[in-house]
Amino acid sequence: MMFVWREAFAGLRRNLTMSIAMVITTAISLGLLGAGLLAVRTIDRTEDLYYSLIAVQVALDEPTSADDRDCSSPVCTGLRGELEASPLVASVEYESRDDAFARFQRIYAGQSILQLVRPQSLPATLRVTMADPLRGEEIVTQYTGRPGVRNVVDQRSTVADLFSFLGSVRNATFGLAVVQALAALLLISNTIQLSAFTRRTEVGIMRLVGATRWYTQVPFLIEAVVTGVVGAVLATGGLVLGKVFFLDGLMSGRLLANTIPPIGMSDVLGYVGPVLVVVGAVIATATGYVTLRLYVRT
Amino acid sequence: MIRLENVSKVYPTSARPALDDVSVEVERGEFAFLIGPSGSGKSTLLRLLIREDVPSSGTVWVANWNVGGLAGRRVPRLRQRMGCVFQDFRLLPNKTVAENVAFALEVIGKPRHTIRTVVPEVLDLVDLAGKAERMPSELSGGEAQRVAIARAFVNRPLVLLADEPTGNLDPETSAGIMTLLERINRTGTTVLMATHDRQIVDSMRRRVVELSAGRLARDDARGVYGVAR
Ligand SMILES: Nc1ncnc2c1ncn2[C@@H]1O[C@H](COP(=O)(O)OP(=O)(O)OP(=O)(O)O)[C@@H](O)[C@H]1O
Ligand SMILES: [Mg+2]
């Protein structure tokens, strides 16, 4: 068995430039795949976060907003009762004009917009938490234009843009990962063929002495697997650096702070890293195996 | 031990068959020379025996193996029971003398402690005990051939095939190689050696099988290289 490892590492050293190219390409491909996985994970979390916060807001018209502190008016109780009876709805909360203003003051504390807003411009609302957040539109169509209702807003539509942005980031990353993976595959395959060609006399002699095909070819396979695993480790390292020096800064900046949940070190090392190592090893092994079957006959 | 039954070999690229209906048998423990002019089919015959190629027709037997019909994955087993020596030595250039010999044992999965004791013994047999750590490039032709013989012999093959093993060596060195092959033959190993070397064949007086243009031309029990022509 020692023989096999010795040969594999000798092979990697022999074509050092090729090996480096192979490792870099593999690492980039896996890095992109990893970034894509992190994006997916972030999107999921962001969605979870928002779906637990967002609701359908049924804003009440001016008379009700002005007078009703606790949803005791017939208009409000009627709407509320009807909403609570709906199977689409999980719960309904009433926010009076004064409550809304208090919340507004909390959110924009210290900012100039506060001076421009008076309580009178804010409606009282029924905050409807959906049983299924994706079906908010149905409530919107049902209640828009009803007596006592000013308008109905599904908050989900306001964050949809964010999700579609994150979604396209993810798709682009996966797309690049696939193209780059193709390059890595071809490079691995080519290197194995080259390796086998350089060593054809040697392999011929081994076969003559009675070495099995498997015995002479395992070193090439190991070369490929080592490449895959080293590539995955480098890719993970790259993602860690990317997180520490780029993402962490971006996420804590004014624009995105508290908008997107941060990516933790455990996401990179505990989830994406192992996935990349497995993917790298499996793809390299498969490529190596197919190459040896198809192109290396000795 | 070796039996060819009406064996013919036609290479796709040439019209004339390299072997043409050859039947010959070599008994266990025998020592036989395979002679004939260049292109008469000697190497082709040896290549069929180790299944580097398959016959176009006829059957090739080595021990109990029908060599031509052997499944590809069984071929290593056959070769592990045969030793091969060539004019160009065919040593692994990046392994030492000892590693080259040990390799033939590693391949058949011999445990490391066995390898450690057997390799020096065999190197001693071929008189190379002091050069175990040399690289093949640091050996003379005669030494390299002795390493090749050690490698061929180290797992006690049933048959040792030699294709012009003295082709690159001077007469004196050749004589040394022949002594070695005789010694190996005396341990019971069947030896079949293809050669052009008149002097060797004449001095040994062993069985001579002669090929001519792919046909069996002569088979003498205690022959000489050629009837005076
Ligand atoms: N791989 C091959 N493809 C096509 N023809 C071949 C091949 N190998 C050998 N031949 C032909 O088969 C015939 C026999 O060749 P072979 O090598 O067996 O001769 P030989 O007796 O070993 O000759 P030499 O004494 O020169 O080594 C020759 O005519 C040769 O050209
Ligand atoms: Mg020949």
Side-chain angles (χ1 to χ4, degrees):
Chain A
M1 221 54 239
M2 269 317 290
F3 154 79
V4 161
W5 288 96
R6 248 187 292 125
E7 293 302 320
F9 284 102
L12 286 170
R13 251 181 289 119
R14 189 168 25 233
N15 304 322
L16 193 58
T17 40
M18 202 68 165
S19 304
I20 292 173
M22 202 158 70
V23 167
I24 291 176
T25 321
T26 312
I28 293 177
S29 159
L30 290 173
L32 288 169
L33 175 66
L37 290 175
L38 286 175
V40 170
R41 184 157 259 223
T42 306
I43 290 169
D44 288 349
R45 283 214 197 117
T46 313
E47 284 181 339
D48 284 352
L49 178 72
Y50 281 87
Y51 286 158
S52 67
L53 296 178
I54 62 180
V56 176
Q57 289 184 313
V58 180
L60 302 180
D61 65 1
E62 184 52 32
T64 321
S65 299
D67 298 336
D68 201 339
R69 295 186 164 279
D70 48 7
C71 197
S72 53
S73 66
V75 177
C76 187
T77 28
L79 286 169
R80 182 174 193 159
E82 204 178 317
L83 280 167
E84 279 172 343
S86 163
L88 295 173
V89 172
S91 67
V92 182
E93 253 177 84
Y94 181 70
E95 186 178 59
S96 71
R97 170 168 277 174
D98 292 344
D99 296 338
F101 187 64
R103 185 163 62 88
F104 196 82
Q105 281 177 313
R106 254 198 336 276
I107 295 174
Y108 294 102
Q111 295 182 30
S112 48
I113 187 171
L114 212 53
Q115 267 87 61
L116 303 175
V117 175
R118 289 162 298 122
Q120 286 82 339
S121 55
L122 295 171
T125 49
L126 286 164
R127 286 181 51 82
V128 179
T129 307
M130 301 296 297
D132 177 357
L134 298 177
R135 296 176 67 183
E137 272 312 304
E138 295 178 34
I139 300 291
V140 175
T141 32
Q142 269 176 45
Y143 288 86
T144 303
R146 290 273 297 269
V149 173
R150 184 159 104 178
N151 61 8
V152 185
V153 175
D154 181 4
Q155 290 181 324
R156 203 183 88 84
S157 61
T158 59
V159 290
D161 287 348
L162 178 63
F163 290 141
S164 82
F165 169 71
L166 290 176
S168 35
V169 167
R170 174 199 57 194
N171 293 345
T173 337
F174 277 143
L176 277 175
V178 167
V179 172
Q180 193 69 20
L182 202 66
L185 290 192
L186 293 177
L187 209 55
I188 290 177
S189 171
N190 186 267
T191 310
I192 289 179
Q193 289 176 52
L194 201 76
S195 226
F197 186 76
T198 339
R199 297 189 46 212
R200 69 196 182 289
T201 324
E202 217 178 326
V203 168
I205 296 173
M206 293 177 181
R207 301 276 290 142
L208 205 65
V209 185
T212 56
R213 205 182 144 102
W214 174 244
Y215 192 89
T216 54
Q217 291 190 345
V218 166
F220 301 130
L221 219 50
I222 293 184
E223 272 182 62
V225 175
V226 167
T227 304
V229 171
V230 171
V233 169
L234 287 183
T236 310
L239 289 176
V240 168
L241 292 183
K243 171 191 144 39
V244 170
F245 290 109
F246 175 69
L247 270 189
D248 284 358
L250 191 69
M251 298 280 208
S252 62
R254 288 172 64 90
L255 187 61
L256 291 176
N258 305 323
T259 314
I260 299 174
I263 293 166
M265 200 53 98
S266 66
D267 293 326
V268 180
L269 295 180
Y271 163 64
V272 171
V275 168
L276 293 188
V277 169
V278 170
V279 169
V282 166
I283 287 185
T285 313
T287 312
Y289 186 79
V290 170
T291 305
L292 290 172
R293 282 279 121 174
L294 295 185
Y295 300 106
V296 183
R297 298 194 191 282
T298 43
Chain B
M1 181 56 56
I2 296 173
R3 194 162 83 238
L4 277 72
E5 293 169 352
N6 308 101
V7 171
S8 296
K9 175 68 192 178
V10 185
Y11 288 107
T13 45
S14 75
R16 186 180 69 80
L19 287 176
D20 189 358
D21 196 26
V22 174
S23 294
V24 68
E25 183 163 358
V26 180
E27 298 293 338
R28 177 183 293 269
E30 228 181 324
F31 191 120
F33 286 115
L34 186 60
I35 65 168
S38 193
S40 57
K42 304 181 296 296
S43 299
T44 301
L45 195 153
L46 296 184
R47 281 159 49 78
L48 295 183
L49 289 175
I50 54 171
R51 178 56 190 272
E52 273 213 20
D53 221 323
V54 289
S56 312
S57 66
T59 321
V60 176
W61 295 92
V62 172
N64 290 322
W65 284 291
N66 175 352
V67 177
L70 219 52
R73 65 197 158 77
R74 296 251 164 82
V75 173
R77 293 301 288 274
L78 167 79
R79 293 183 182 166
Q80 288 167 12
R81 303 310 313 275
M82 305 181 82
C84 292
V85 181
F86 300 89
Q87 184 171 358
D88 57 356
F89 320 133
R90 305 208 188 165
L91 299 176
L92 295 168
N94 49 7
K95 291 184 187 297
T96 65
V97 166
E99 284 167 352
N100 261 283
V101 177
F103 185 76
L105 293 169
E106 277 173 33
V107 155
I108 60 176
K110 280 268 160 39
R112 205 171 307 173
H113 62 266
T114 317
I115 296 179
R116 263 202 298 271
T117 57
V118 171
V119 171
E121 277 172 30
V122 174
L123 286 178
D124 206 30
L125 177 81
V126 300
D127 242 353
L128 283 173
K131 299 185 172 155
E133 298 312 315
R134 294 267 190 101
M135 299 306 280
S137 57
E138 303 164 346
L139 299 174
S140 74
E143 288 165 345
Q145 194 59 293
R146 296 213 298 275
V147 176
I149 292 174
R151 180 183 65 189
F153 182 63
V154 69
N155 46 28
R156 309 288 149 149
L158 300 166
V159 180
L160 190 113
L161 303 177
D163 194 355
E164 301 184 35
T166 59
N168 277 339
L169 307 174
D170 64 54
E172 207 172 314
T173 317
S174 300
I177 296 294
M178 292 317 295
T179 318
L180 202 52
L181 290 179
E182 270 201 295
R183 207 186 297 167
I184 286 171
N185 177 237
R186 273 201 298 277
T187 67
T189 304
T190 311
V191 178
L192 181 60
M193 168 170 162
T195 186
H196 282 300
D197 196 323
R198 169 184 295 269
Q199 201 185 333
I200 287 175
V201 177
D202 286 350
S203 66
M204 301 239 325
R205 287 307 190 117
R206 295 293 196 130
R207 180 172 173 191
V208 173
V209 176
E210 182 174 347
L211 291 175
S212 171
R215 302 192 69 98
L216 187 64
R218 177 163 66 108
D219 188 350
D220 290 345
R222 295 176 65 79
V224 290
Y225 189 79
V227 211
R229 261 174 280 186

